[in-house]
Amino acid sequence: MNNNSHKVLFACSEIAPLIKTGGLADVCASLPMALRRANTDIKIALPGYKAVLEQIDDINFICMLDLPLGAVAICQCSIDDTDLLLICHPVFSNRAGNPYMSDDDRGWPDNPMRFALFSQAVTELSVNPVYLNWTPDLVHCHDWQTGLVPALLALHNPRPATVFTIHNLAYQGNIMHNHYAELGLPAALFHANGVEFWGQASYIKGGIAYADRVNTVSPRYAEEIQTDAFGNGLDGLLRSRQARVSGILNGIDIDEWNPATDTHLPANYSTKDLSGKQKNKAELQKRMGLPISPNTLLFGVISRLAEQKGIDVIVDAIENSDTLNYQLVVLGSGETDLQNRLNTLQQEHPEHVAVSIGFDESLSRLIEAGSDVFMMPSRYEPCGLNQLYSLRYGTLPLVTRVGGLVDTVTDYNNNNQDEANGFMIDETSPEALTDGINRALALYADKKTWKKLQQNGMASQFSWDISASLYLQLYNAAIGDAALANEQIRHAKLSS
Ligand code: ADP
């Protein structure tokens, strides 16, 4: 089979710029486009959230689906010439804001029902050609919100192939068994080799256990999640499926994230002429109320405020330091305790620390462009996109030696200025971070080497086209696996 002719249904719970809480949205916006450029016939399925429906003018009703959890309307529109299928139901369309959480940072109580309903809709569209006059060869699912899809599809024969991509193993969609049963989800899937997880039902485990191929978003994280330290209780299952588990590094949309053309920036710049970066730095300092000081090293942070990201350690490191000879800008939203700690830090050090709580795309671009160093002391990091954006914007990443950060950042060691593009610390601790900060401060005095590291980063190749070709290979493997599984089940049925 020509591997460019696959029909793929891409099922995800966020897609930039329509609805975004993190890197998942960026990936689900750019990977389908790269696959389409490689001639894949792709449709994207997304819940019909209120925020999404409000942004789309031209939308067509396709059909109703009567599903075990309720009736949904399937509507279709086009984004960048790709069909977007919106799964519409009041649990999505009647609720504004974050797709998973209320403003007080608590998960919506009906999330198990909402994403089971979404998964039922994706499953039905995948096996029944009457609705779209189209059925996929492969369904590509992302994170726990779609983990039930490979599990539900395993109850069908024949079925399309499935790929399950783990963007973050810590978010699992686990529910009590009685809740699973109340939702009427299939008892046939609730066993040790299925969705059952320490007596609960786990949506992400459904994806990992049943998908033909499982992958994650960097080679290093694919190794890490098979260990006790990073496996979140699923490392045993992942090890048992080792031959089917792989890592493909995320790319970035190099047109969307380009300092030479980014319309959010007051000044554009390129590898050849970095002068615009200084103007962005001055603008960032001004906008955040910091002293405008071209020679003060400016660290930037854009992050979900969550334990994963090591924000507590940034606060600890600053609280522990005797003198502050640098500036720090933080943009983030998330845990209230971390918001409070950051706000207090800003009040105590108004000349050095500036904090903006919220989600702000435009400010995030200015931070990427205007900072000298991007700080990312994550405890774990499946891939991380911000260090990739930073490299492209000539901002040196300061990161922990984990996950995709290892696969993308090369630590400067006084001796490798032709390869290095940032700084790496060995652990998420205030001491290690302070050491990294001091190393950045020391190198900042050496403008020539600093510029070389910036140029190394800006020359990095993180285009999606490379990763998309690896996904096409993965799709081929999964389609081969599914064909075999379909055949074996057909034979077993015939002979029984
Ligand atoms: P994660 O998906 O774990 O949150 P990533 O580094 O993979 O982390 O991706 C985060 C994405 O979300 C990036 O595009 C980043 O710029 C964006 N982002 C995170 N927090 C904010 C925020 N408060 N405002 C704007 N963009 C944000």
Side-chain angles (χ1 to χ4, degrees), residues 23-25 92 150 153 158 170 229 246 267 295 332 355 379 400 452 455 482 484:
L24 175 65
F92 298 120
L153 279 172
S246 63
N295 292 321
V355 175
R379 291 189 161 83
T400 327
K452 182 74 185 89
Q455 287 171 334
L484 199 62

Side-chain angles (χ1 to χ4, degrees), residues 14 20-27 167-168 171 217 250 257 301-305 308-309 331-334 356-365 368 374 376 378 380-389 405:
E14 44 185 288
K20 169 168 170 174
T21 71
L24 175 65
D26 292 7
V27 174
H167 297 258
N168 194 329
Y171 298 88
V217 288
N250 280 338
W257 294 86
V301 176
I302 307 160
S303 186
R304 286 185 294 114
L305 301 180
Q308 172 194 349
K309 301 291 183 180
L331 165 65
S333 59
S356 175
I357 300 297
F359 199 94
D360 186 335
E361 180 73 25
S362 179
L363 179 57
S364 81
R365 304 296 185 112
E368 285 293 3
F374 193 89
M376 208 167 165
S378 306
Y380 69 94
E381 197 57 75
C383 176
L385 292 178
N386 275 313
Q387 86 281 11
L388 301 182
Y389 299 143
L405 302 174

